[in-house]
């Protein structure tokens, strides 16, 4: 084999080795979510009356309109003029990112664009919690605090505020689920170092809580 043929052969082998990684990384496309529907949902008092945690999920995927509505309800932009959101945050830091783990892969919710940005073309649902039902839920939200958005606050302030801020978002998701008859549970039982590593987070990004969502198991 001459030098040119050898180089060509090496190139083919390299492409074959790299291709699966590239392909799986590229398979996940950005998703433009649907406009949130403002004219649906039960009255607030009925929603509060049925809010609760459920831990048994059917495997059916959530329709895109439901996912779109739920993410907007959770932490969407409800006042475009100021960019403010459906949940409050200390100092308006808006430091919580909602990651969305599905069978297709991992996305992060871009509230301003009301879109899902691809993160990983891999099903990491089972890593989002230690309980057996977690892998069955079609959607596992992972709340991630981006400490770099919290100025020069002390570490304990960042930990406290990001936990509190996550609670408001999680309750919004609880209320949306109660309104639509979906099952959900917020979860703190998480192997955080393992999950943060699997998600490829930076050291100043911290998993606060996760929340499973799906149809109730029949
Ligand atoms: C901060 C926090 C962490 C929680 N962690 C878990 C968890 O890891 N696993 C779980 O099954 N439920 C978890 N829950 C759900 C609680 O167990 C549940 O809210 C509580 O039992 C009351 O039930 P209810 O939500 O139906 O009112 C958590 C709730 C909160 C607020």
């Amino acid at each position: 084999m001459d030098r040119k043929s050898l180089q060509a052969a090496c190139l083919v082998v390299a492409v074959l080795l790299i291709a699966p990684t590239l392909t799986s990384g590229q398979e996940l496309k950005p998703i433009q979510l649907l406009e949130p529907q403002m004219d649906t949902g039960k009255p607030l008092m009925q929603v509060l009356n049925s809010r609760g945690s459920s831990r048994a999920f059917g495997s059916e995927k959530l329709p895109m309109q439901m996912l779109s509505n739920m993410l907007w309800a959770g932490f969407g932009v409800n006042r475009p003029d100021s960019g403010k959101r459906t949940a409050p945050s200390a100092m308006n830091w808006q430091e919580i990112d909602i990651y969305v783990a599905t069978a297709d892969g991992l996305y992060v919710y871009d509230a301003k664009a009301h879109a899902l940005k691809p993160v990983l073309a891999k099903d990491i649902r089972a890593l989002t919690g230690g309980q057996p039902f977690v892998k069955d839920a079609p959607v596992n939200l992972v709340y991630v605090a981006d400490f770099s958005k919290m100025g020069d606050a002390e570490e304990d302030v960042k930990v406290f505020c990001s936990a509190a801020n996550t609670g408001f978002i999680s309750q919004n998701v609880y209320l949306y689920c109660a309104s639509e008859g979906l099952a959900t549970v917020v979860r703190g039982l998480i192997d955080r170092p393992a999950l943060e590593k699997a998600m490829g987070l930076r050291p100043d990004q911290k998993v606060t809580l996760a929340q499973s969502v799906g149809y109730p198991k029949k």
Side-chain angles (χ1 to χ4, degrees), residues 51-53 55 131 133 174 185-189 209:
R51 194 230 44 101
S53 297
R55 297 173 183 81
Q131 293 161 286
F133 63 82
Y174 260 108
V185 60
V186 71
R187 300 182 284 95
L189 198 64
L209 290 169

Side-chain angles (χ1 to χ4, degrees), residues 153-164:
E154 296 291 335
E155 181 85 1
D156 60 341
V157 173
K158 290 183 177 182
V159 170
F160 172 80
C161 289
S162 60

